[in-house]
Amino acid sequence: MSGTHEGTFQGLRAQLQEAAATFADGPDALEGILLGIVDDVDRAVREPLEIFPVCHHSPASAIAMARRLREKQPKVVYLELCEDMAPLLTELRNCKLPVAVQSFATEVDGFPAEWSPLSVVAPITEASAEYQAIAYALDTPGVELVLVDRSSDHVFQWDARGTESAEPADPAAPPAEEEAALHGDAVGVEIGDLRPRFAELEEYLLRHGKVRHWSEWWHQYVELPLGDSDHDTYRQVMLLIGSLFRRLAPGDPHRVRVDEDRERYMWTRMREHLAAADADPADCLYVCGAFHAASHVAEFGVHGTDTFEVSPPTATTWQHGLIPSSHAAIEAQFGLAAGSVSIAATVWAKNLRRTRVEPFRLVGQAGAKKSRAKKAVAAAEAVPALPPSDKLTGFLRQTPVLDRLDEAELLGWSVEIVRAARRNGYLASTADAIAVFETSILLAGMRDRTRPTPYDFQDAAVTCIEKDTVPGRRDVRRLVEIMMGGDRVGQVGYDALPPLARDVHDRLAPLGLKLQQSGVRRALLDIASQPELERCSDVLWMLRYLMPQGAARPIMGERKLGERPIQESWDLALGTYQRALIELGYEGVSIEQVLEQRLRRLAYDRRATAASVLEAVEDATLYLRSRRLADELGTHALEVLSAERSVDGAPEVLRRVRRLLAYYRTSEAVLPPWIESFVKTGYAHYCTLLPTAFTDDDATVRQVAAMLGFLFSMESLALSLGCDRTQLELAVVQSHPEESSKTALLWAAQVHLGRLSRADLRTRCDELLGNPLVVPAYPRYLSGFVHALDPVPGLTDFVVEAVSNAFGRLPDPVLLPWLPTLITTLRSGGSELAPLLIREAGRTFPGRLAALDTWVPPWRARPEAVRPARPAEDGRGCALLAAHPATCDAVASLLGCEGTWETADSGPAGVALTGRHPDTAVALEALLAGA
């Protein structure tokens, strides 16, 4: 592999070969691994196209990159990043870092439907080598930036969902704050994924390095030694690390295959660009992860083979944009230790001050100082290329440089953490600051360090300050992370937002709030005095529907069908939830379009029910005020209802149909045709399902009551549309429930239809109370009566009577055991109907305690029915008709009857019939008196 250039690392090869023979007692696989690592470094160093290995979010890599770009001044920069993200990089100057470049697809074509939505993000921070390369290429005239990694579509083509994500973070130290979820469940694309893929190797390194997690190991043994190294040393050491991890811990074979395909893809793209642009490889720079720099594929290098074929993309339409990121989001997505990215940002700032390297920053970058990078590049002189030399031997053999303890810095940390702890409720004092200072030095000594690292200081602060409980919402570990730099949250500038997000900010401009900033803003809308704010109210209600709960939260005001807003108050956090607003822009050009698409998707989903479609109809009317969309979705709701064979959604259907009917009756002259058809079809549909629902164990009493509520409340409209009441009567006759609550519900339905009198219903309840075997089930009968108040509200007084009779008749040994059952049953099954009972009880029972002793329940105070005296045979009751026959003639003519009047001498023959057969009249009298 080394060929004619074997002499460059010949001394190192001889030393490693001798060491392998000594430790392994003869040549074996160890010798092959060690010499293979040197061959990988030699091969990459000799490549005509300079390879610059990096590690993502590494301050040492960023410093080395800035220094190398000023020395080499390449004309072409090849960057390991998804090639379809290139148009977005120019918008980074309008953003406040950290941000993430995102590819997003809501509708998939060529991937499994359950993967939707697809999302790929590449986070970028200022302390990263790729940002230095991007800033240099975009702000330096004549420099071309070429992204060579696979496209976002190929990310999902080549790998199963989620395999690109790093291992999950340590659950013992999860990132605090909600910013950790800024990337959502997006797949992360990372430059320089330098982490052992062999669990035993990582465990060995952590144990012998006396560190807790990988981020601390990298900081101690790579970041600090390479912070001040020259370019050749940095490059060869990074290549050595990449080759070491690649040969010792190849990891999952599937992931290795994907990595090799990525390397073939990138080298194929670079050779294509070199041929098309006729560029000199000596004027180019290839920025990639150290793992990929030590590649073994045949396509490696400018003179590699061209046998790799790139598969065509799928038909999935990808949207691209920038979303805000944060240190916590990067740590959570790529499995880094909490606070490691914030510590890296602090180390980056210290390295800049110590090395005096001028970093590259995009012109106009938000939150950055004015950069002199362009002037420095223009003034720099080209450095002639020198043949590679062996820097590894000297680096590996040199004695570690002992850093002098910076007491002033450590004292400042100790004082600051105590101050922060006191602000957050800890009882910390000056003695704790001294303890933290001394413990930090002690821990560093125990871990063979001459200078405490931020991780040592963090452990010392937790040990000395944190007690059994955390008084606030932040523990000491989180306070140290904030003190070291905090969880910086990026922001996408207005010019870099998609059209939908810019339109939202423009339409909310009359509120006069800085909605792009993070945090909560209170908006007060006095629509009565400022009618133009009603449009802002419309936007806010749509945002509340489309975005997460905290983005737009109403404090005062509500939106109901048929009502106009007067005053509203909102808590807005659009800056905090900027990612969600940006992703709305991937779905449409306006929030109205996105809302309509979501309502259609909800209504036409294969799992949609009649209740969910009616909800979409209501939302279309409430938020969009679109009669066209409401009619379309309403017609579809009719089709869905006809296809349903269960009654699970009956309560929701009843509630929404009632609300829509009330709205249309008050706002429009005639009802929409779809709702008339819905009522007509629903009447027949629920009549058909009613007998089965009464006997089905899966159908609850609430659902059956909702069916009856639909049938009884919509009966007049349904009959006017041509329905037959006989169908309802037959359905009730065919119903034979076995469960107690449904039986009571059936009795209430029979009372409503006139098939059962109140006297008979009262008799049945008395029989239940008088039967000791049925008394334990009496609360369930009451539950059925309570649910019957929705379809038959006229029974409210009877339910109060039934409950009162139970309390009055049953002795305490019987009443007390089932009293908790009664309360829990009413609370769980009829809480929304309880106000009806309370109002009726308040109307029935006396209002004063003194009146209770003499109070008689109205159902017991009914006067005895007085039997009317039998009329005399003289016929005086008919004298009025004989004296004024015109009225009777008019009624007879109206009814189509013909007849002649008898003379007074003939006598009242009709009245004589009741005299001869009095039993019928007596029975009728008793029936009317009981009702």
Side-chain angles (χ1 to χ4, degrees):
M1 188 177 300
S2 55
T4 59
H5 305 288
E6 188 175 352
T8 302
F9 296 97
Q10 184 60 33
L12 182 60
R13 284 191 178 88
Q15 294 179 17
L16 294 178
Q17 191 171 12
E18 181 181 352
T22 301
F23 288 104
D25 194 19
D28 60 354
L30 177 60
E31 179 182 356
I33 292 175
L34 295 178
L35 296 183
I37 292 173
V38 179
D39 291 339
D40 291 341
V41 176
D42 191 19
R43 182 189 187 191
V45 168
R46 294 293 180 179
E47 175 60 35
L49 175 59
E50 181 178 338
I51 302 174
F52 194 95
V54 300
C55 177
H56 200 40
H57 306 303
S58 167
S61 295
I63 289 289
M65 173 62 73
R67 185 187 292 118
R68 183 56 179 167
L69 289 174
R70 297 191 184 281
E71 294 174 355
K72 183 179 178 65
Q73 301 181 29
K75 297 180 181 178
V76 179
V77 177
Y78 297 111
L79 184 61
E80 180 193 334
L81 195 62
C82 294
E83 58 185 3
D84 55 332
M85 295 180 176
L88 295 173
L89 300 182
T90 57
E91 298 293 341
L92 288 175
R93 68 179 75 252
N94 298 318
C95 304
K96 178 183 176 182
L97 299 180
V99 296
V101 187
Q102 183 184 41
S103 298
F104 193 85
T106 54
E107 298 180 0
V108 297
D109 187 353
F111 300 106
E114 59 269 16
W115 288 14
S116 178
L118 304 179
S119 180
V120 179
V121 298
I124 297 176
T125 62
E126 187 176 356
S128 59
E130 62 269 23
Y131 174 73
Q132 296 298 310
I134 292 171
Y136 164 79
L138 295 183
D139 284 349
T140 304
V143 177
E144 184 178 4
L145 178 65
V146 182
L147 306 186
V148 294
D149 200 1
R150 55 182 174 166
S151 66
S152 304
D153 197 89
H154 288 89
V155 170
F156 292 94
Q157 279 192 43
W158 291 0
D159 207 357
R161 185 181 178 94
T163 55
E164 285 295 320
S165 300
E167 297 178 7
D170 182 10
E177 309 293 341
E178 63 275 6
E179 283 78 12
L182 281 179
H183 295 173
D185 56 353
V187 172
V189 176
E190 186 176 13
I191 297 179
D193 180 15
L194 279 182
R195 183 166 183 164
R197 300 180 185 177
F198 187 52
E200 286 78 2
L201 173 60
E202 182 173 352
E203 181 183 357
Y204 179 87
L205 293 175
L206 298 183
R207 184 174 68 254
H208 288 271
K210 298 181 179 180
V211 294
R212 291 170 300 145
H213 42 69
W214 174 250
S215 300
E216 186 176 358
W217 186 94
W218 181 266
H219 173 85
Q220 179 67 23
Y221 295 100
V222 180
E223 284 293 332
L224 297 182
L226 290 182
D228 297 324
S229 62
D230 60 273
H231 169 66
D232 289 337
T233 302
Y234 165 83
R235 186 182 176 199
Q236 293 176 21
V237 171
M238 291 294 288
L239 290 171
L240 174 70
I241 295 174
S243 177
L244 175 68
F245 291 161
R246 187 162 193 145
R247 288 181 176 270
L248 290 183
D252 179 46
H254 175 71
R255 183 172 181 179
V256 172
R257 180 179 61 82
V258 172
D259 286 332
E260 291 179 349
D261 285 344
R262 292 178 63 187
E263 293 156 6
R264 296 185 180 97
Y265 191 102
M266 290 187 285
W267 280 110
T268 301
R269 288 291 191 240
M270 284 187 284
R271 284 194 296 271
E272 291 175 356
H273 181 269
L274 288 172
D278 195 18
D280 185 1
D283 295 331
C284 303
L285 186 68
Y286 172 35
V287 182
C288 67
F291 188 87
H292 298 297
S295 177
H296 305 150
V297 297
E299 290 80 3
F300 180 89
V302 177
H303 304 295
T305 61
D306 288 323
T307 58
F308 183 71
E309 295 183 1
V310 180
S311 59
T314 65
T316 300
T317 302
W318 290 89
Q319 305 286 338
H320 299 85
L322 296 170
I323 62 173
S325 183
S326 68
H327 292 171
I330 298 172
E331 293 159 0
Q333 186 169 34
F334 297 108
L336 305 177
S340 59
V341 179
S342 298
I343 293 175
T346 303
V347 174
W348 159 256
K350 292 174 61 177
N351 288 348
L352 290 180
R353 292 192 299 267
R354 186 180 70 252
T355 61
R356 298 185 182 275
V357 172
E358 181 68 22
F360 291 93
R361 291 188 177 95
L362 289 169
V363 176
Q365 182 76 61
K369 299 179 181 179
K370 185 177 181 181
S371 175
R372 299 187 298 274
K374 188 180 297 184
K375 297 181 181 178
V377 171
E381 297 181 359
V383 178
L386 299 176
S389 58
D390 181 8
K391 297 287 186 177
L392 280 178
T393 303
F395 181 84
L396 296 176
R397 297 181 62 181
Q398 70 180 2
T399 304
V401 179
L402 299 180
D403 268 350
R404 181 177 57 85
L405 173 63
D406 191 345
E407 293 188 2
E409 181 185 54
L410 186 57
L411 279 174
W413 287 356
S414 302
V415 173
E416 184 61 31
I417 189 58
V418 169
R419 183 183 293 114
R422 290 184 64 85
R423 286 197 301 265
N424 285 269
Y426 288 93
L427 299 178
S429 62
T430 305
D432 293 310
I434 299 173
V436 172
F437 178 86
E438 297 294 344
T439 306
S440 300
I441 299 176
L442 177 62
L443 288 177
M446 294 173 61
R447 296 167 179 173
D448 296 333
R449 303 169 188 168
T450 58
R451 179 179 182 176
T453 66
Y455 299 96
D456 297 327
F457 172 76
Q458 187 180 56
D459 293 341
V462 172
T463 302
C464 298
I465 298 177
E466 192 165 283
K467 305 302 186 290
D468 295 337
T469 59
V470 178
R473 70 186 183 97
R474 295 189 178 101
D475 57 9
V476 174
R477 189 174 303 277
R478 178 59 182 155
L479 294 178
V480 174
E481 295 171 7
I482 295 175
M483 190 189 71
M484 290 293 176
D487 183 19
R488 300 179 186 175
V489 180
Q491 185 181 41
V492 179
Y494 175 85
D495 295 331
L497 293 173
L500 180 144
R502 292 200 301 268
D503 178 63
V504 168
H505 284 289
D506 293 342
R507 294 167 68 176
L508 295 179
L511 298 178
L513 301 176
K514 297 179 180 179
L515 298 179
Q516 286 190 273
Q517 297 180 356
S518 299
V520 179
R521 301 288 185 271
R522 176 62 60 87
L524 302 176
L525 286 72
D526 187 2
I527 302 175
S529 59
Q530 294 178 285
E532 64 274 9
L533 294 181
E534 185 174 356
R535 297 182 179 180
C536 296
S537 174
D538 295 339
V539 175
L540 293 176
W541 283 107
M542 285 186 282
L543 290 177
R544 179 178 180 269
Y545 182 90
L546 295 171
M547 295 185 66
Q549 184 176 4
R553 186 167 63 94
I555 304 301
M556 180 185 69
E558 59 181 353
R559 175 152 293 200
K560 293 184 177 180
L561 289 174
E563 296 183 1
R564 308 296 295 184
I566 300 176
Q567 285 184 336
E568 293 179 353
S569 176
W570 290 80
D571 275 351
L572 304 178
L574 298 185
T576 304
Y577 292 88
Q578 193 178 49
R579 172 180 178 265
L581 181 61
I582 291 173
E583 290 187 348
L584 286 181
Y586 301 154
E587 302 182 41
V589 296
S590 67
I591 53 176
E592 287 83 1
Q593 180 186 5
V594 174
L595 181 55
E596 181 173 342
Q597 290 176 353
R598 290 197 180 181
L599 293 177
R600 290 181 186 274
R601 192 180 306 123
L602 174 66
Y604 288 94
D605 188 85
R606 59 183 179 85
R607 294 168 295 182
T609 62
S612 62
V613 180
L614 286 177
E615 180 183 5
V617 174
E618 186 175 348
D619 291 337
T621 306
L622 193 62
Y623 299 115
L624 295 176
R625 298 191 178 96
S626 173
R627 176 66 183 275
R628 169 191 54 82
L629 180 61
D631 290 349
E632 177 187 343
L633 299 182
T635 304
H636 181 63
L638 175 62
E639 300 173 358
V640 175
L641 178 67
S642 302
E644 287 185 348
R645 292 298 176 265
S646 67
V647 296
D648 296 342
E652 190 70 12
V653 170
L654 173 62
R655 185 170 64 89
R656 296 193 179 277
V657 167
R658 280 177 174 174
R659 196 152 53 206
L660 289 170
L661 270 174
Y663 168 72
Y664 286 126
R665 281 170 172 166
T666 57
S667 62
E668 299 187 12
V670 294
L671 293 177
W674 74 266
I675 201 169
E676 292 184 348
S677 301
F678 189 91
V679 171
K680 183 178 179 180
T681 303
Y683 188 87
H685 179 71
Y686 284 135
C687 283
T688 304
L689 296 180
L690 187 61
T692 305
F694 265 113
T695 57
D696 189 2
D697 294 337
D698 294 332
T700 64
V701 62
R702 181 170 177 265
Q703 295 168 353
V704 179
M707 295 174 60
L708 292 174
F710 186 95
L711 294 172
F712 293 164
S713 60
M714 307 292 168
E715 185 177 11
S716 59
L717 178 59
L719 295 180
S720 67
L721 296 174
C723 294
D724 190 359
R725 194 171 193 264
T726 307
Q727 188 177 7
L728 174 59
E729 294 176 347
L730 290 175
V732 172
V733 171
Q734 294 172 358
S735 301
H736 304 286
E738 298 179 358
E739 206 270 329
S740 303
S741 57
K742 292 182 181 179
T743 301
L745 189 62
L746 178 62
W747 292 347
Q750 292 173 346
V751 171
H752 176 79
L753 295 176
R755 303 184 60 86
L756 183 67
S757 66
R758 281 203 172 199
D760 293 338
L761 183 60
R762 186 176 292 107
T763 302
R764 292 184 181 182
C765 291
D766 292 339
E767 292 175 354
L768 294 177
L769 288 175
N771 189 346
L773 299 178
V774 184
V775 167
Y778 194 71
R780 291 193 290 272
Y781 283 97
L782 290 180
S783 176
F785 284 130
V786 171
H787 282 93
L789 297 181
D790 188 12
V792 190
L795 286 179
T796 306
D797 58 337
F798 177 81
V799 177
V800 173
E801 175 186 344
V803 175
S804 301
N805 286 336
F807 279 85
R809 290 181 53 181
L810 295 178
D812 290 346
V814 178
L815 178 64
L816 294 180
W818 64 259
L819 188 59
T821 306
L822 172 65
I823 296 175
T824 55
T825 302
L826 294 178
R827 178 179 296 177
S828 62
S831 57
E832 68 278 3
L833 300 172
L836 292 176
L837 294 177
I838 295 174
R839 284 197 300 268
E840 181 63 25
R843 187 185 65 83
T844 303
F845 290 93
R848 296 180 180 276
L849 184 62
L852 187 62
D853 295 334
T854 60
W855 176 74
V856 178
W859 52 87
R860 293 184 181 177
R862 292 189 182 91
E864 292 293 334
V866 179
R867 184 174 180 178
R870 185 172 299 178
E873 297 294 336
D874 56 1
R876 284 179 293 178
C878 301
L880 185 62
L881 291 178
H884 304 280
T887 303
C888 189
D889 291 340
V891 174
S893 176
L894 181 62
L895 298 176
C897 299
E898 297 181 358
T900 58
W901 284 91
E902 296 182 359
T903 61
D905 297 337
S906 61
V911 180
L913 183 63
T914 60
R916 291 193 297 269
H917 304 283
D919 295 338
T920 303
V922 173
L924 179 61
E925 174 191 7
L927 177 63
L928 295 178

